[in-house]
mmCIF file of all heavy atoms in Angstrom:
data_model
loop_
_atom_site.group_PDB
_atom_site.id
_atom_site.type_symbol
_atom_site.label_atom_id
_atom_site.label_comp_id
_atom_site.label_asym_id
_atom_site.label_seq_id
_atom_site.Cartn_x
_atom_site.Cartn_y
_atom_site.Cartn_z
ATOM 1 N N GLY A 168 -21.671 -27.085 49.485
ATOM 2 C CA GLY A 168 -21.966 -26.769 50.875
ATOM 3 C C GLY A 168 -21.773 -27.933 51.859
ATOM 4 O O GLY A 168 -21.212 -27.768 52.904
ATOM 5 N N ALA A 170 -19.894 -30.652 51.467
ATOM 6 C CA ALA A 170 -18.444 -30.990 51.593
ATOM 7 C C ALA A 170 -17.748 -29.965 52.498
ATOM 8 O O ALA A 170 -16.970 -30.352 53.411
ATOM 9 C CB ALA A 170 -17.762 -30.973 50.204
ATOM 10 N N LEU A 171 -18.033 -28.686 52.366
ATOM 11 C CA LEU A 171 -17.400 -27.648 53.169
ATOM 12 C C LEU A 171 -17.713 -27.873 54.655
ATOM 13 O O LEU A 171 -16.820 -27.814 55.488
ATOM 14 C CB LEU A 171 -17.951 -26.282 52.781
ATOM 15 C CG LEU A 171 -17.309 -25.596 51.609
ATOM 16 C CD1 LEU A 171 -18.159 -24.407 51.156
ATOM 17 C CD2 LEU A 171 -15.920 -25.076 51.912
ATOM 18 N N GLU A 172 -18.985 -28.091 54.953
ATOM 19 C CA GLU A 172 -19.376 -28.280 56.345
ATOM 20 C C GLU A 172 -18.738 -29.499 56.983
ATOM 21 O O GLU A 172 -18.246 -29.518 58.072
ATOM 22 C CB GLU A 172 -20.912 -28.413 56.430
ATOM 23 C CG GLU A 172 -21.635 -27.092 56.229
ATOM 24 C CD GLU A 172 -21.355 -26.100 57.367
ATOM 25 O OE1 GLU A 172 -20.573 -26.416 58.277
ATOM 26 O OE2 GLU A 172 -21.950 -25.013 57.278
ATOM 27 N N LEU A 173 -18.756 -30.594 56.127
ATOM 28 C CA LEU A 173 -18.259 -31.897 56.594
ATOM 29 C C LEU A 173 -16.798 -31.818 56.998
ATOM 30 O O LEU A 173 -16.377 -32.230 58.031
ATOM 31 C CB LEU A 173 -18.413 -32.838 55.385
ATOM 32 C CG LEU A 173 -18.565 -34.293 55.694
ATOM 33 C CD1 LEU A 173 -19.702 -34.543 56.666
ATOM 34 C CD2 LEU A 173 -18.850 -35.029 54.419
ATOM 35 N N VAL A 174 -16.011 -31.259 56.121
ATOM 36 C CA VAL A 174 -14.557 -31.186 56.277
ATOM 37 C C VAL A 174 -14.234 -30.316 57.573
ATOM 38 O O VAL A 174 -13.329 -30.681 58.289
ATOM 39 C CB VAL A 174 -13.888 -30.652 55.020
ATOM 40 C CG1 VAL A 174 -12.417 -30.304 55.291
ATOM 41 C CG2 VAL A 174 -13.966 -31.622 53.893
ATOM 42 N N TYR A 175 -15.027 -29.338 57.766
ATOM 43 C CA TYR A 175 -14.792 -28.479 58.950
ATOM 44 C C TYR A 175 -15.221 -29.200 60.229
ATOM 45 O O TYR A 175 -14.597 -29.082 61.265
ATOM 46 C CB TYR A 175 -15.582 -27.143 58.797
ATOM 47 C CG TYR A 175 -15.443 -26.284 60.014
ATOM 48 C CD1 TYR A 175 -14.203 -25.750 60.366
ATOM 49 C CD2 TYR A 175 -16.558 -26.009 60.808
ATOM 50 C CE1 TYR A 175 -14.080 -24.915 61.503
ATOM 51 C CE2 TYR A 175 -16.429 -25.188 61.946
ATOM 52 C CZ TYR A 175 -15.197 -24.666 62.301
ATOM 53 O OH TYR A 175 -15.070 -23.890 63.377
ATOM 54 N N GLU A 176 -16.328 -29.914 60.186
ATOM 55 C CA GLU A 176 -16.901 -30.476 61.371
ATOM 56 C C GLU A 176 -16.226 -31.762 61.865
ATOM 57 O O GLU A 176 -16.294 -32.102 63.049
ATOM 58 C CB GLU A 176 -18.416 -30.779 61.195
ATOM 59 C CG GLU A 176 -19.305 -29.578 61.014
ATOM 60 C CD GLU A 176 -19.389 -28.741 62.260
ATOM 61 O OE1 GLU A 176 -19.186 -29.272 63.341
ATOM 62 O OE2 GLU A 176 -19.631 -27.491 62.140
ATOM 63 N N TRP A 184 -9.242 -34.388 51.088
ATOM 64 C CA TRP A 184 -10.343 -33.718 50.380
ATOM 65 C C TRP A 184 -9.957 -33.479 48.909
ATOM 66 O O TRP A 184 -9.041 -32.755 48.669
ATOM 67 C CB TRP A 184 -10.623 -32.398 51.132
ATOM 68 C CG TRP A 184 -11.802 -31.602 50.635
ATOM 69 C CD1 TRP A 184 -12.790 -31.960 49.803
ATOM 70 C CD2 TRP A 184 -12.138 -30.261 51.088
ATOM 71 N NE1 TRP A 184 -13.723 -30.988 49.677
ATOM 72 C CE2 TRP A 184 -13.356 -29.944 50.437
ATOM 73 C CE3 TRP A 184 -11.555 -29.353 51.937
ATOM 74 C CZ2 TRP A 184 -13.948 -28.714 50.617
ATOM 75 C CZ3 TRP A 184 -12.187 -28.103 52.117
ATOM 76 C CH2 TRP A 184 -13.340 -27.792 51.456
ATOM 77 N N ILE A 191 -11.216 -24.021 47.516
ATOM 78 C CA ILE A 191 -12.357 -24.618 48.179
ATOM 79 C C ILE A 191 -13.602 -23.752 48.041
ATOM 80 O O ILE A 191 -13.507 -22.506 47.861
ATOM 81 C CB ILE A 191 -12.080 -24.904 49.654
ATOM 82 C CG1 ILE A 191 -11.860 -23.581 50.420
ATOM 83 C CG2 ILE A 191 -10.903 -25.826 49.855
ATOM 84 C CD1 ILE A 191 -11.927 -23.735 51.949
ATOM 85 N N GLY A 192 -14.784 -24.365 48.089
ATOM 86 C CA GLY A 192 -16.025 -23.624 48.135
ATOM 87 C C GLY A 192 -16.348 -22.878 46.878
ATOM 88 O O GLY A 192 -16.957 -21.774 46.898
ATOM 89 N N PHE A 196 -17.789 -19.123 46.754
ATOM 90 C CA PHE A 196 -16.913 -17.965 46.768
ATOM 91 C C PHE A 196 -15.714 -18.130 45.867
ATOM 92 O O PHE A 196 -15.464 -19.232 45.323
ATOM 93 C CB PHE A 196 -16.406 -17.551 48.164
ATOM 94 C CG PHE A 196 -16.667 -18.579 49.266
ATOM 95 C CD1 PHE A 196 -15.887 -19.684 49.431
ATOM 96 C CD2 PHE A 196 -17.708 -18.342 50.111
ATOM 97 C CE1 PHE A 196 -16.117 -20.630 50.433
ATOM 98 C CE2 PHE A 196 -17.980 -19.267 51.142
ATOM 99 C CZ PHE A 196 -17.164 -20.376 51.287
ATOM 100 N N ALA A 200 -11.796 -15.552 49.135
ATOM 101 C CA ALA A 200 -12.575 -15.975 50.291
ATOM 102 C C ALA A 200 -12.166 -17.342 50.783
ATOM 103 O O ALA A 200 -12.146 -17.560 52.004
ATOM 104 C CB ALA A 200 -14.109 -16.010 49.905
ATOM 105 N N ALA A 201 -11.735 -18.173 49.862
ATOM 106 C CA ALA A 201 -11.262 -19.533 50.237
ATOM 107 C C ALA A 201 -10.000 -19.425 51.125
ATOM 108 O O ALA A 201 -9.834 -20.056 52.142
ATOM 109 C CB ALA A 201 -10.993 -20.396 48.985
ATOM 110 N N PHE A 203 -9.223 -16.886 52.941
ATOM 111 C CA PHE A 203 -9.620 -16.322 54.245
ATOM 112 C C PHE A 203 -10.106 -17.470 55.150
ATOM 113 O O PHE A 203 -9.870 -17.427 56.339
ATOM 114 C CB PHE A 203 -10.791 -15.326 54.006
ATOM 115 C CG PHE A 203 -11.433 -14.834 55.219
ATOM 116 C CD1 PHE A 203 -10.841 -13.841 56.002
ATOM 117 C CD2 PHE A 203 -12.661 -15.341 55.689
ATOM 118 C CE1 PHE A 203 -11.403 -13.331 57.162
ATOM 119 C CE2 PHE A 203 -13.211 -14.888 56.847
ATOM 120 C CZ PHE A 203 -12.636 -13.888 57.578
ATOM 121 N N LEU A 204 -10.802 -18.483 54.582
ATOM 122 C CA LEU A 204 -11.405 -19.500 55.391
ATOM 123 C C LEU A 204 -10.419 -20.660 55.779
ATOM 124 O O LEU A 204 -10.586 -21.254 56.822
ATOM 125 C CB LEU A 204 -12.607 -20.131 54.646
ATOM 126 C CG LEU A 204 -13.820 -19.271 54.544
ATOM 127 C CD1 LEU A 204 -14.853 -19.922 53.595
ATOM 128 C CD2 LEU A 204 -14.509 -19.039 55.869
ATOM 129 N N ILE A 205 -9.408 -20.888 54.929
ATOM 130 C CA ILE A 205 -8.556 -22.035 55.134
ATOM 131 C C ILE A 205 -7.842 -22.131 56.506
ATOM 132 O O ILE A 205 -7.813 -23.237 57.044
ATOM 133 C CB ILE A 205 -7.506 -22.181 53.943
ATOM 134 C CG1 ILE A 205 -8.207 -22.961 52.848
ATOM 135 C CG2 ILE A 205 -6.250 -22.871 54.392
ATOM 136 C CD1 ILE A 205 -7.381 -23.418 51.689
ATOM 137 N N PRO A 206 -7.413 -21.005 57.088
ATOM 138 C CA PRO A 206 -6.815 -21.161 58.428
ATOM 139 C C PRO A 206 -7.743 -21.860 59.440
ATOM 140 O O PRO A 206 -7.304 -22.513 60.378
ATOM 141 C CB PRO A 206 -6.528 -19.696 58.869
ATOM 142 C CG PRO A 206 -6.371 -18.972 57.568
ATOM 143 C CD PRO A 206 -7.324 -19.636 56.587
ATOM 144 N N LYS A 207 -9.051 -21.706 59.248
ATOM 145 C CA LYS A 207 -10.032 -22.317 60.166
ATOM 146 C C LYS A 207 -9.972 -23.877 60.111
ATOM 147 O O LYS A 207 -10.336 -24.536 61.033
ATOM 148 C CB LYS A 207 -11.453 -21.893 59.793
ATOM 149 C CG LYS A 207 -11.917 -20.662 60.486
ATOM 150 C CD LYS A 207 -12.323 -20.963 61.948
ATOM 151 C CE LYS A 207 -12.927 -19.720 62.568
ATOM 152 N NZ LYS A 207 -14.191 -19.877 63.182
ATOM 153 N N LEU A 208 -9.470 -24.415 58.997
ATOM 154 C CA LEU A 208 -9.412 -25.831 58.782
ATOM 155 C C LEU A 208 -8.263 -26.475 59.618
ATOM 156 O O LEU A 208 -8.293 -27.577 60.007
ATOM 157 C CB LEU A 208 -9.170 -26.214 57.361
ATOM 158 C CG LEU A 208 -10.399 -26.327 56.456
ATOM 159 C CD1 LEU A 208 -10.003 -26.743 55.101
ATOM 160 C CD2 LEU A 208 -11.461 -27.231 57.035
ATOM 161 N N THR A 209 -7.271 -25.636 59.888
ATOM 162 C CA THR A 209 -6.083 -26.155 60.630
ATOM 163 C C THR A 209 -6.115 -25.795 62.114
ATOM 164 O O THR A 209 -5.444 -26.370 62.885
ATOM 165 C CB THR A 209 -4.778 -25.679 59.971
ATOM 166 O OG1 THR A 209 -4.890 -24.256 59.790
ATOM 167 C CG2 THR A 209 -4.581 -26.314 58.594
ATOM 168 N N LYS A 212 -10.456 -26.442 67.073
ATOM 169 C CA LYS A 212 -11.815 -25.905 67.257
ATOM 170 C C LYS A 212 -12.077 -25.719 68.732
ATOM 171 O O LYS A 212 -11.749 -26.552 69.537
ATOM 172 C CB LYS A 212 -12.842 -26.886 66.668
ATOM 173 C CG LYS A 212 -13.047 -26.628 65.230
ATOM 174 C CD LYS A 212 -14.343 -27.109 64.685
ATOM 175 C CE LYS A 212 -14.800 -28.461 65.263
ATOM 176 N NZ LYS A 212 -15.627 -29.220 64.379
ATOM 177 N N HIS A 251 -25.579 -30.890 60.473
ATOM 178 C CA HIS A 251 -24.516 -31.629 61.204
ATOM 179 C C HIS A 251 -24.623 -31.374 62.687
ATOM 180 O O HIS A 251 -24.003 -32.006 63.471
ATOM 181 C CB HIS A 251 -23.137 -31.173 60.743
ATOM 182 C CG HIS A 251 -22.982 -29.662 60.678
ATOM 183 N ND1 HIS A 251 -22.813 -28.899 61.831
ATOM 184 C CD2 HIS A 251 -23.136 -28.801 59.661
ATOM 185 C CE1 HIS A 251 -22.810 -27.640 61.504
ATOM 186 N NE2 HIS A 251 -22.989 -27.540 60.185
ATOM 187 N N HIS A 264 -8.380 -31.220 64.058
ATOM 188 C CA HIS A 264 -8.439 -31.203 62.555
ATOM 189 C C HIS A 264 -7.193 -31.773 61.911
ATOM 190 O O HIS A 264 -6.065 -31.443 62.291
ATOM 191 C CB HIS A 264 -8.477 -29.733 62.108
ATOM 192 C CG HIS A 264 -9.860 -29.220 62.102
ATOM 193 N ND1 HIS A 264 -10.242 -28.036 62.730
ATOM 194 C CD2 HIS A 264 -10.974 -29.646 61.519
ATOM 195 C CE1 HIS A 264 -11.518 -27.831 62.539
ATOM 196 N NE2 HIS A 264 -12.009 -28.791 61.806
ATOM 197 N N ILE A 268 -5.781 -31.226 51.313
ATOM 198 C CA ILE A 268 -6.625 -30.864 50.107
ATOM 199 C C ILE A 268 -5.809 -31.171 48.824
ATOM 200 O O ILE A 268 -4.694 -30.758 48.660
ATOM 201 C CB ILE A 268 -6.970 -29.343 50.113
ATOM 202 C CG1 ILE A 268 -7.696 -29.010 51.422
ATOM 203 C CG2 ILE A 268 -7.899 -29.076 48.907
ATOM 204 C CD1 ILE A 268 -7.871 -27.535 51.651
ATOM 205 N N LYS A 427 -23.967 -20.446 57.023
ATOM 206 C CA LYS A 427 -22.791 -20.431 57.916
ATOM 207 C C LYS A 427 -21.771 -21.410 57.412
ATOM 208 O O LYS A 427 -22.137 -22.528 57.086
ATOM 209 C CB LYS A 427 -23.210 -20.862 59.361
ATOM 210 C CG LYS A 427 -22.894 -19.904 60.395
ATOM 211 C CD LYS A 427 -23.170 -20.457 61.768
ATOM 212 C CE LYS A 427 -22.709 -19.370 62.740
ATOM 213 N NZ LYS A 427 -23.309 -19.265 63.933
ATOM 214 N N PHE A 428 -20.541 -20.946 57.224
ATOM 215 C CA PHE A 428 -19.447 -21.864 56.876
ATOM 216 C C PHE A 428 -18.334 -21.623 57.867
ATOM 217 O O PHE A 428 -17.945 -20.528 58.123
ATOM 218 C CB PHE A 428 -18.942 -21.647 55.432
ATOM 219 C CG PHE A 428 -19.911 -22.131 54.376
ATOM 220 C CD1 PHE A 428 -20.333 -21.309 53.386
ATOM 221 C CD2 PHE A 428 -20.359 -23.472 54.416
ATOM 222 C CE1 PHE A 428 -21.239 -21.787 52.404
ATOM 223 C CE2 PHE A 428 -21.267 -23.913 53.453
ATOM 224 C CZ PHE A 428 -21.653 -23.113 52.454
ATOM 225 N N PHE A 429 -17.739 -22.731 58.341
ATOM 226 C CA PHE A 429 -16.608 -22.711 59.276
ATOM 227 C C PHE A 429 -16.913 -21.749 60.435
ATOM 228 O O PHE A 429 -16.067 -21.008 60.931
ATOM 229 C CB PHE A 429 -15.361 -22.181 58.519
ATOM 230 C CG PHE A 429 -14.900 -23.139 57.441
ATOM 231 C CD1 PHE A 429 -15.663 -24.221 57.009
ATOM 232 C CD2 PHE A 429 -13.675 -22.934 56.789
ATOM 233 C CE1 PHE A 429 -15.221 -25.091 56.019
ATOM 234 C CE2 PHE A 429 -13.250 -23.773 55.752
ATOM 235 C CZ PHE A 429 -14.054 -24.837 55.386
ATOM 236 N N ASN A 430 -18.185 -21.768 60.866
ATOM 237 C CA ASN A 430 -18.628 -20.945 61.958
ATOM 238 C C ASN A 430 -18.680 -19.414 61.709
ATOM 239 O O ASN A 430 -18.808 -18.646 62.608
ATOM 240 C CB ASN A 430 -17.768 -21.215 63.209
ATOM 241 C CG ASN A 430 -18.694 -21.547 64.419
ATOM 242 O OD1 ASN A 430 -19.888 -21.752 64.212
ATOM 243 N ND2 ASN A 430 -18.145 -21.522 65.613
ATOM 244 N N TYR A 431 -18.494 -19.054 60.446
ATOM 245 C CA TYR A 431 -18.641 -17.655 60.061
ATOM 246 C C TYR A 431 -20.055 -17.497 59.431
ATOM 247 O O TYR A 431 -20.485 -18.341 58.672
ATOM 248 C CB TYR A 431 -17.680 -17.209 58.975
ATOM 249 C CG TYR A 431 -16.231 -17.039 59.454
ATOM 250 C CD1 TYR A 431 -15.237 -17.949 59.052
ATOM 251 C CD2 TYR A 431 -15.850 -15.926 60.221
ATOM 252 C CE1 TYR A 431 -13.915 -17.726 59.432
ATOM 253 C CE2 TYR A 431 -14.521 -15.756 60.609
ATOM 254 C CZ TYR A 431 -13.563 -16.673 60.228
ATOM 255 O OH TYR A 431 -12.249 -16.457 60.612
ATOM 256 N N LYS A 432 -20.637 -16.332 59.707
ATOM 257 C CA LYS A 432 -21.882 -15.971 58.973
ATOM 258 C C LYS A 432 -21.463 -15.618 57.546
ATOM 259 O O LYS A 432 -20.508 -14.895 57.308
ATOM 260 C CB LYS A 432 -22.518 -14.775 59.626
ATOM 261 C CG LYS A 432 -23.782 -14.285 58.914
ATOM 262 C CD LYS A 432 -24.329 -13.106 59.650
ATOM 263 C CE LYS A 432 -25.502 -12.403 58.974
ATOM 264 N NZ LYS A 432 -26.017 -11.279 59.679
ATOM 265 N N VAL A 433 -22.226 -16.175 56.557
ATOM 266 C CA VAL A 433 -21.878 -15.892 55.155
ATOM 267 C C VAL A 433 -23.117 -15.408 54.450
ATOM 268 O O VAL A 433 -24.192 -16.049 54.481
ATOM 269 C CB VAL A 433 -21.366 -17.185 54.415
ATOM 270 C CG1 VAL A 433 -21.102 -16.904 52.925
ATOM 271 C CG2 VAL A 433 -20.083 -17.730 55.076
ATOM 272 N N ILE A 476 -18.481 -12.208 54.570
ATOM 273 C CA ILE A 476 -18.201 -13.272 55.561
ATOM 274 C C ILE A 476 -17.835 -12.656 56.897
ATOM 275 O O ILE A 476 -17.037 -11.712 56.922
ATOM 276 C CB ILE A 476 -16.991 -14.131 55.089
ATOM 277 C CG1 ILE A 476 -17.319 -14.674 53.650
ATOM 278 C CG2 ILE A 476 -16.716 -15.254 56.061
ATOM 279 C CD1 ILE A 476 -16.160 -15.534 53.061
#
Side-chain angles (χ1 to χ4, degrees):
L171 277 167
E172 287 293 3
L173 207 52
V174 169
Y175 176 66
E176 291 295 334
W184 188 8
I191 65 165
F196 12 78
F203 172 81
L204 289 171
I205 273 190
K207 271 282 186 127
L208 276 185
T209 48
K212 273 202 320 208
H251 49 78
H264 275 126
I268 306 168
K427 236 188 176 150
F428 285 127
F429 297 8
N430 232 12
Y431 286 110
K432 177 180 174 180
V433 176
I476 304 178

